[in-house]
């Protein structure tokens, strides 16, 4: 009865129209997803030896600090200042300072949809490796399973429904960061000449309970994650000047050379892997807290940033058994 129910469930959710819709949505986000992916969709069980897992995720990054730094009034000011800077000089003021903070906040943690595609392979028992392409970010990672039996759907061994698995991983992501191509940030970039690059290390600790032997019909997963970001950024303003009577040195505002900064993030996550044998849907939610630290601005000013980030996501994963399992 359970197997029949799961087959009906799979036929419904993995219809051609549903899969086509997800792939179309992913394609529509190609230009949007250039942040290091932090949605955790792993289970405590790593990919069995000789087996592949391929899939993709759609996510939305919702950082409270970035949202608070980019209100509608600031967006209007950015448009007006950028238009003025194209033909005339602009005086450095408090609004310019707020625009810098908004640009840095978007580089650290943008408000935007994202997508990724990934491939994982079981190298040996209890260890798998993977590569993920997030349309602007390249991610390499490995996961080690330290709790739970070793086996596969075809060869479950001692595994039973409800078996607990646990694993720990290390992910490395690299990308050249740029502000998203939306009118507000295009105006900010034209005015300030913002540039940045970043590297991220992510360490997830994942626990899961198997649904069916060896996750045949999925798993419920949860855990904690630590991430550390290394950022390099700079500012090269155009026609931006300090006027007479300003608290800063009169004349053209000097550029901000490349600055190095790093910060840690602490998170929790939950995901559900639901399907049958070869294909699964994975809804997930990750929540992070980060103290981004203090950032250098033009004219030797500084700003401090911190906040929460919510990352809901929806993924689709396919399992490709090893050649020995298919015999």
């Amino acid at each position: 009865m359970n197997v029949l129910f799961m087959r009906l469930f799979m036929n419904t959710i993995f219809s051609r129209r549903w899969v086509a819709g997800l792939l179309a949505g992913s394609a529509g986000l190609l230009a949007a997803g250039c942040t290091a992916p932090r949605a955790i969709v792993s289970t405590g069980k790593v990919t069995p030896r000789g087996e592949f897992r391929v899939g993709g995720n759609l996510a939305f990054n919702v950082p409270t600090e970035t949202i608070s730094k980019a209100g509608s009034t600031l967006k209007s000011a950015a448009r007006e200042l950028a238009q003025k800077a194209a033909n005339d000089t602009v005086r450095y003021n408090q609004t310019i300072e707020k625009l810098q903070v908004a640009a840095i906040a978007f580089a650290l943690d943008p408000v935007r949809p994202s997508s990724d595609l990934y491939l994982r392979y079981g190298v040996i028992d209890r260890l798998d490796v993977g590569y993920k392409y997030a349309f602007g970010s390249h991610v390499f990672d490995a996961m080690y399973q330290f709790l739970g039996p070793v086996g596969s759907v075809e060869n479950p061994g001692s595994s039973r429904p409800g078996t607990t698995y646990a694993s720990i991983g290390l992910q490395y992501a690299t990308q050249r960061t740029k502000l998203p191509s939306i009118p507000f940030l295009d105006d900010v970039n034209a005015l300030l000449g913002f540039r940045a690059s970043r590297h991220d290390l992510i360490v997830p600790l994942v626990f899961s309970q198997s649904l069916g032997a060896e996750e045949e019909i999925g798993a419920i997963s949860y855990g904690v994650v630590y991430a550390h970001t290394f950022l390099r950024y700079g500012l090269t303003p155009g026609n931006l000047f300090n006027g007479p009577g300003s608290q800063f040195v009169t004349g053209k505002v000097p550029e901000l050379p490349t600055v190095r900064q790093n910060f840690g993030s602490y998170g929790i996550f939950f995901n559900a892997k639901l399907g049958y044998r070869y294909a699964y849907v994975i809804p997930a939610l990750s929540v992070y807290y980060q103290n981004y630290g203090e950032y250098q601005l033009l004219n030797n000013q500084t700003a401090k940033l911190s906040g929460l980030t919510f990352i809901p996501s929806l993924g689709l994963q396919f399992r490709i058994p090893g050649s020995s399992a298919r015999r």
Side-chain angles (χ1 to χ4, degrees), residues 154-197:
E154 288 76 16
N155 302 291
S158 61
S159 179
R160 297 288 182 272
T163 297
T164 298
Y165 297 90
S167 61
I168 189 168
L170 176 64
Q171 300 180 17
Y172 168 71
T174 180
Q175 64 177 313
R176 186 179 182 83
T177 301
K178 62 180 180 179
L179 300 180
S181 284
I182 56 178
F184 162 56
L185 293 174
D186 284 344
D187 292 336
V188 172
N189 207 33
L191 184 65
L192 299 175
F194 181 82
R195 63 189 184 279
S197 63

Side-chain angles (χ1 to χ4, degrees), residues 9-16 18-19 274-275 279-281 316:
F9 172 76
M10 294 298 298
N11 288 338
T12 301
I13 62 174
F14 292 111
S15 65
R16 290 181 180 179
W18 195 93
V19 173
L274 305 170
Y280 302 87
V281 168
L316 182 61

Side-chain angles (χ1 to χ4, degrees), residues 244-256:
S246 168
Q247 60 175 312
F248 309 115
V249 177
T250 302
K252 193 175 188 302
V253 175
E255 72 173 79
L256 178 68

Side-chain angles (χ1 to χ4, degrees), residues 2-122:
N2 288 338
V3 172
L4 177 61
F5 171 78
M6 288 308 301
R7 284 178 176 168
L8 290 172
F9 172 76
M10 294 298 298
N11 288 338
T12 301
I13 62 174
F14 292 111
S15 65
R16 290 181 180 179
R17 183 178 298 177
W18 195 93
V19 173
L22 182 62
L23 293 177
S26 180
L29 293 173
L30 295 186
C34 60
T35 57
R38 295 192 295 167
I40 306 299
V41 298
S42 306
T43 69
K45 178 177 176 57
V46 303
T47 310
R49 181 174 59 181
E51 188 171 296
F52 287 93
R53 291 178 185 172
V54 295
N57 298 292
L58 303 179
F60 201 92
N61 205 66
V62 188
T64 58
E65 181 72 322
T66 304
I67 292 172
S68 72
K69 299 302 181 187
S72 58
T73 302
L74 197 59
K75 293 177 183 179
S76 299
R79 182 173 61 253
E80 293 169 6
L81 290 170
Q83 290 171 350
K84 184 178 180 181
N87 304 302
D88 198 359
T89 60
V90 173
R91 301 297 184 190
Y92 187 93
N93 54 35
Q94 207 168 44
T95 299
I96 299 293
E97 205 161 284
K98 291 179 180 178
L99 289 175
Q100 295 173 70
V101 176
I104 292 172
F106 265 93
L108 294 172
D109 219 349
V111 183
R112 67 188 310 169
S114 63
S115 59
D116 63 71
L117 299 173
Y118 63 87
L119 171 69
R120 304 198 64 78
Y121 177 69

Side-chain angles (χ1 to χ4, degrees), residues 188-262:
V188 172
N189 207 33
L191 184 65
L192 299 175
F194 181 82
R195 63 189 184 279
S197 63
R198 64 185 290 170
H199 304 273
D200 294 85
L201 292 175
I202 302 172
V203 182
L205 176 61
V206 189
F207 297 89
S208 65
Q209 268 72 50
S210 177
L211 302 177
E214 290 293 341
E215 299 185 351
E216 183 178 26
I217 57 176
I220 301 298
S221 305
Y222 49 90
V224 295
V225 57
Y226 174 76
H228 204 92
T229 299
F230 301 87
L231 179 75
R232 298 177 64 186
Y233 72 98
L235 296 164
T236 308
N239 294 331
L240 189 58
F241 289 79
N242 293 316
S246 168
Q247 60 175 312
F248 309 115
V249 177
T250 302
K252 193 175 188 302
V253 175
E255 72 173 79
L256 178 68
T258 300
V259 177
R260 290 177 171 83
Q261 180 64 285
N262 68 88

Side-chain angles (χ1 to χ4, degrees), residues 300-318:
N300 206 32
Q301 300 299 293
T302 60
K304 293 182 178 180
L305 299 168
S306 64
L308 292 170
T309 303
F310 299 87
I311 311 175
S313 68
L314 179 65
L316 182 61
Q317 183 182 99
F318 298 96

